[in-house]
Structure formats: C-alpha cells, structure tokens
Amino acid sequence: MSKATLSAPAALPPSSSTADRIELIQTFVRIVQAGSLSAAASQLGTTQPTISRRLQLLERSLGVRLLQRSTHAMKLTEDGERCYERALDLLAGWESFQFDVRGAGVEAEGSLRVVVPNAFGQRQLIAPLAEFMRRHPGITVEWLLYDRVADFIAHGIDCAIQVGEVSDPSVVAIRLAEVPRMMAIAPALLAQYPAPAHPRDLAAMPWLAIPQFYRRDVTLKNTVTGEVAEVAFQPRLSSDSLYALTNAAVEGVGLLLGSAWLLAEHMEHGRLVPLLPEWEAAPLPVSIIYPYARFYPARLRYFIDTMREAMPAAVGSAARWPAR
C-alpha cells in the first residue's frame, strides 16, 4: 500500500449523505460553543457517547485532530480552529442556501432554545408559544425560565425575551412592547398607615424590591400635573421573582411596584388595592434579543415574527387600572 493511500482521509460510510455531514459539523460547532461534550449532548438532546462518535467520525473524514481533550480541559487544535471558523461559514451558507432555494414559505424545522422571564414564560407567553408551535409543527422548543439572560454561546441559546433596557452591545435587540407598572398594597397593610397623599408618604411604608428594576428608590411621575418625585426606601424583602413578590404583597409583607398584567387580577378580587394611581413609574421595555450572525434560520425568524405580533397584547391587556 502506498504512502499516499495511508495518509488519505478516511471516507464517511457509504450510507452517509450531505445531511449527515452537516449534522457532524453542527455537532462540532455545538461542542466548541458549549465547552464540553456533555454540555453539547445536553443541548442537542442526545447522549455524550453519541456526541463523541460524531466528533470521531468528523475527525476521521477530515483526516485531522480537531480537539485536544483531557480529564479537566478541552481546547481546539490548530486544525480545529481553522475548521471551526470554516464550519460557521459553511453552516450559515447552508441555511441561506436552503432558505433561498426553497423560498420564504419553507416549512421550518429544527430546535430553538429560548430564555424567557419566569412570570412571562409561565403565563403570558404560553398562548403565543402554542400558536407558534401549531403553525410550525417541525420545530421543537426548549423553553427556559430565567429571570436573568443566560450566556448565549455557553448555553446554546438561540434568543431571549428580556424585560428592561438592553445594554449588551454584542446582541441584536428588537423592542416588542412596554410593560405598564402599578403600585399596589394589601388592604390590611394599608390600614396600618395614614392614607398617602403624595409619593413622599410612601417612604415610611415597607417595600418589596425587584433588584433588576429597582432596589432602594423609584422615580414616579404625576400623569396630571407632570410633577416628578423620587422615593427612597429600605426594602423589607427583595427577590428576583415577580411571582414571589406579588404573593408577598398579597400577604401584606410590603407594597409593590409591579407589572400591571399580574397585579390587576389581585386588585379585581380585592386582595390588593392601588396606591396613588395618578403617580406612575416609567413602563419597562420588553425586547427579544439574539446574537449577531451571518444568517438567521427560518425557525428563529418565524419565532421573532410571532413574538412581535403577540407581545403588545400580552403585556397591555391589563394596562388599565381595574374598575372599582
């Protein structure tokens, strides 16, 4: 056997197709982005041995070693670094090719990993999500409930819904809507204090705080006179869970400045009452964010379109104070 024959890259099995090769390359990219084979397996919904076999098959087909692995670390080889950059280009080109050839009406398929705020993700966005999945039966979704946006690359996240201002310059941010906010308090707690006539009267009351939106002070504006007031306070309870704080407000732990869509139901049933309804905090923006890329797959485009349609109604349906 000649030397050339010995050094030639091993061919893929005869049954392998272009789709198989694309899958191997997608797996390699996910391994690199996830940081380990086990993390890649978790994100792809398969096992670590399967991921390892795909990597080995890709390495044999290319005739190069792509990763150096030890018990505690993994890093790209020099060939792996070149392969990774080319793989990103290839996958973007393949997605674009499919979209262009099959047309904008292509039946989207594949998986999406989406991060959504806990409260929104359990309630307001379930109906839009269900409608999206009815429209696109070939798409599977991993619906991750985080009140903080996870690392897109390390966790294989395709996009996220974020409440509040977006400050990360490395992501694309599309504003979908704004969340009106209300101040509310349990009737029993309110009865323990003189009826407030101005925001300055609120400082002496116990407060509940959402650190990602307000910690020790809030700015309120009078919708009639335009007056602006700053209220400083010492929070009695802080949490990153809007559901937990709303339940705490109902129990009389403190007053809450929270999302109108969630508080309105408790007000309608008398569990909470409004405080100084003519004074409002600025609404919170809601955006969908995702990393910059050369090309965005159809499944992500369609999901963005669905959220753009649904979000205004999801956050605005309870924007008004309930009638009393």
Side-chain angles (χ1 to χ4, degrees):
M1 187 177 292
S2 68
K3 183 177 181 180
T5 303
L6 289 171
S7 61
L12 287 171
S15 60
S16 295
S17 66
T18 300
D20 295 326
R21 296 169 188 263
I22 293 294
E23 181 182 51
L24 297 182
I25 295 170
Q26 288 172 329
T27 299
F28 169 62
V29 168
R30 185 58 64 92
I31 292 170
V32 176
Q33 293 179 340
S36 70
L37 272 67
S38 59
S42 175
Q43 293 177 14
L44 292 173
T46 187
T47 64
Q48 183 171 334
T50 297
I51 295 297
S52 181
R53 283 194 297 271
R54 291 180 189 173
L55 175 62
Q56 292 170 9
L57 185 55
L58 181 61
E59 288 179 327
R60 288 202 304 270
S61 70
L62 296 175
V64 296
R65 184 73 175 270
L66 299 174
L67 294 172
Q68 290 180 340
R69 286 181 287 160
S70 66
T71 305
H72 303 292
M74 180 192 80
K75 70 175 184 178
L76 286 166
T77 64
E78 184 176 340
D79 289 325
E81 290 178 357
R82 289 199 306 272
C83 180
Y84 177 68
E85 292 303 320
R86 294 296 298 274
L88 292 176
D89 287 332
L90 187 150
L91 293 177
W94 178 251
E95 291 270 15
S96 180
F97 169 77
Q98 287 184 304
F99 195 82
D100 290 342
V101 171
R102 296 165 66 184
V106 62
E107 180 68 24
E109 56 187 24
S111 62
L112 278 176
R113 287 171 61 86
V114 183
V115 169
V116 290
N118 207 295
F120 267 148
Q122 292 187 62
R123 186 166 170 182
Q124 299 299 92
L125 297 184
I126 291 298
L129 172 64
E131 178 60 25
F132 170 76
M133 300 187 77
R134 281 191 290 267
R135 292 180 188 175
H136 307 288
I139 298 176
T140 60
V141 177
E142 191 167 354
W143 196 244
L144 305 172
L145 301 178
Y146 300 156
D147 285 315
R148 292 182 177 85
V149 178
D151 186 298
F152 283 101
I153 301 302
H155 297 93
I157 305 301
D158 293 291
C159 65
I161 303 294
Q162 179 172 323
V163 178
E165 295 293 341
V166 179
S167 58
D168 185 352
S170 68
V171 300
V172 179
I174 300 175
R175 184 165 294 195
L176 303 175
E178 292 185 330
V179 182
R181 294 189 286 174
M182 301 174 174
M183 286 190 297
I185 191 170
L189 179 60
L190 179 60
Q192 300 175 27
Y193 295 86
H198 189 274
R200 72 175 70 93
D201 301 325
L202 303 177
M205 294 181 171
W207 277 74
L208 307 176
I210 309 176
Q212 58 265 48
F213 303 130
Y214 67 92
R215 292 175 179 270
R216 298 179 183 275
D217 59 81
V218 296
T219 300
L220 303 173
K221 182 176 181 179
N222 190 300
T223 57
V224 178
T225 67
E227 180 186 356
V228 175
E230 300 282 344
V231 182
F233 56 85
Q234 180 67 37
R236 188 175 183 193
L237 173 66
S238 298
S239 174
D240 61 357
S241 169
L242 183 56
Y243 271 142
L245 290 179
T246 301
N247 291 333
V250 170
E251 292 295 328
V253 177
L255 71 89
L256 175 65
L257 173 63
S259 300
W261 65 266
L262 183 54
L263 299 184
E265 178 182 342
H266 294 288
M267 292 181 183
E268 289 168 358
H269 290 86
R271 295 186 288 266
L272 295 173
V273 295
L275 273 177
L276 302 178
E278 69 276 14
W279 290 87
E280 295 183 353
L284 296 173
V286 183
S287 305
I288 186 166
I289 63 176
Y290 48 93
Y292 285 99
R294 298 174 179 87
F295 178 81
Y296 300 107
R299 58 186 177 274
L300 177 58
R301 299 184 193 188
Y302 293 151
F303 182 78
I304 292 170
D305 288 343
T306 298
M307 290 298 107
R308 294 180 84 160
E309 292 174 12
M311 189 61 72
V315 302
S317 59
R320 296 184 178 181
W321 292 90
R324 297 190 59 82

